[in-house]
Amino acid sequence: LNMAKFKIDNPILKAYYTPEKVVKSNEDTGWERNNASDNNQNNSITFDAKHSHNVYLPSGCDWFDFWTNEKLKGGQEISKASNISTIPLYIKAGTILPLGPKVQFATEKKWDALEIRIYEGANGEYCLYEDENDNYNYEKGFYSTIDFVWNDSKKTLTIGERKGTFEGMLTNREFKIVKVSKDKAFGHSPSNIIDKTVHYNGKKLTVKL
C-alpha cells in the first residue's frame, strides 16, 4: 500500500543549526558550500532549539500530528515548530498504521505482535504484505496479504482472511489495536495503552472498539 496517500511528511530543506548555505549541487564532489561562514558560529549552536516551518494540510479530511496526535482540519496552512530529531508529519483521518519492532534488518526480530493504530474520523483500508525478505520468491507467488478495514461509523476493525503463503510465514500472531488519542499512541514509541489485543490465526475476524 502506498502510504503517501495517508500521510504528509514535510522535510526541512534548509540549514537550521549550521551557518552553511547550499549554493548548488556538484555531481562530482557533492554540495558546494561557497557561502559558508567560517567564524566559529557552530560554538553557539543549540541542537534542541525549535524552528517554525509552514505546512499545508490538503482539504477534504482531518489530519493528525504524528508526534502529538493533535487533530487539525484540512484546507489550511499551519506553522509547525520542529527540531533536529523531528520533521512535520501528519496522518490522514481513517488511516490504519501498523508499527513493528525496532530492527536493524528485517529478520532481526519476529513481527508477531504488531501495534495497529487507528486514526478515527473516516473509513480506512490497509493491506499488510509479507514475504521471505531476502530473495525473489515473491515473483513466483510466495507471499501473503492480510486486509484491514476500518468502519468509522460502527467503530469496527475487520481483519480479513490471510491470502497466500511462504516459507517461514507466521501462522499465529497478536495484533495490539489502539485508537489514537492525545494520551496514547503518539510518536514512534510503542503505546503504553492498548485498546484490544487479538490473536490471529489467518481467519477473518471483526473487532469492536
Side-chain angles (χ1 to χ4, degrees), residues 8 55-63 72-76:
I8 297 173
V55 182
Y56 177 74
L57 302 175
S59 61
C61 63
D62 293 329
W63 298 88
L72 298 160
K73 291 288 185 183
Q76 63 172 322

Side-chain angles (χ1 to χ4, degrees), residues 38-200:
D38 191 22
N39 56 6
N40 294 321
Q41 291 184 23
N42 287 353
N43 293 335
S44 61
I45 291 174
T46 301
F47 286 103
D48 290 334
K50 291 186 177 182
H51 298 267
S52 293
H53 190 67
N54 291 335
V55 182
Y56 177 74
L57 302 175
S59 61
C61 63
D62 293 329
W63 298 88
F64 291 82
D65 186 320
F66 177 75
W67 306 106
T68 66
N69 286 343
E70 179 186 6
K71 188 176 180 180
L72 298 160
K73 291 288 185 183
Q76 63 172 322
E77 184 176 79
I78 63 171
S79 180
K80 171 66 177 178
S82 60
N83 59 28
I84 198 169
S85 62
T86 63
I87 63 171
L89 176 58
Y90 294 88
I91 310 297
K92 185 179 179 180
T95 293
I96 302 169
L97 179 65
L99 267 68
K102 293 182 180 180
V103 295
Q104 296 297 318
F105 53 93
T107 57
E108 180 183 356
K109 298 177 183 177
K110 287 185 178 181
W111 293 54
D112 56 349
L114 297 183
E115 181 177 310
I116 309 295
R117 295 185 180 180
I118 307 296
Y119 291 81
E120 296 181 88
N123 294 334
E125 298 180 0
Y126 180 82
C127 179
L128 178 64
Y129 168 93
E130 295 176 306
D131 59 29
E132 296 177 37
N133 295 300
D134 58 358
N135 57 49
Y136 292 95
N137 283 341
Y138 64 89
E139 295 180 347
K140 303 174 184 178
F142 294 103
Y143 61 86
S144 72
T145 60
I146 303 172
D147 292 327
F148 292 73
V149 178
W150 171 249
N151 186 310
D152 197 64
S153 62
K154 295 182 179 179
K155 304 302 179 187
T156 58
L157 177 68
T158 299
I159 306 175
E161 182 178 354
R162 184 176 52 233
K163 299 176 183 178
T165 185
F166 59 90
E167 185 176 353
M169 180 183 71
L170 291 168
T171 56
N172 293 281
R173 63 201 308 171
E174 285 184 350
F175 291 125
K176 300 177 180 180
I177 305 170
V178 187
K179 287 196 299 182
V180 166
S181 67
K182 283 192 174 183
D183 62 348
K184 61 182 177 181
F186 47 83
H188 48 61
S189 297
S191 177
N192 58 354
I193 302 174
I194 304 297
D195 290 309
K196 287 212 176 161
T197 298
V198 298
H199 298 277
Y200 179 78

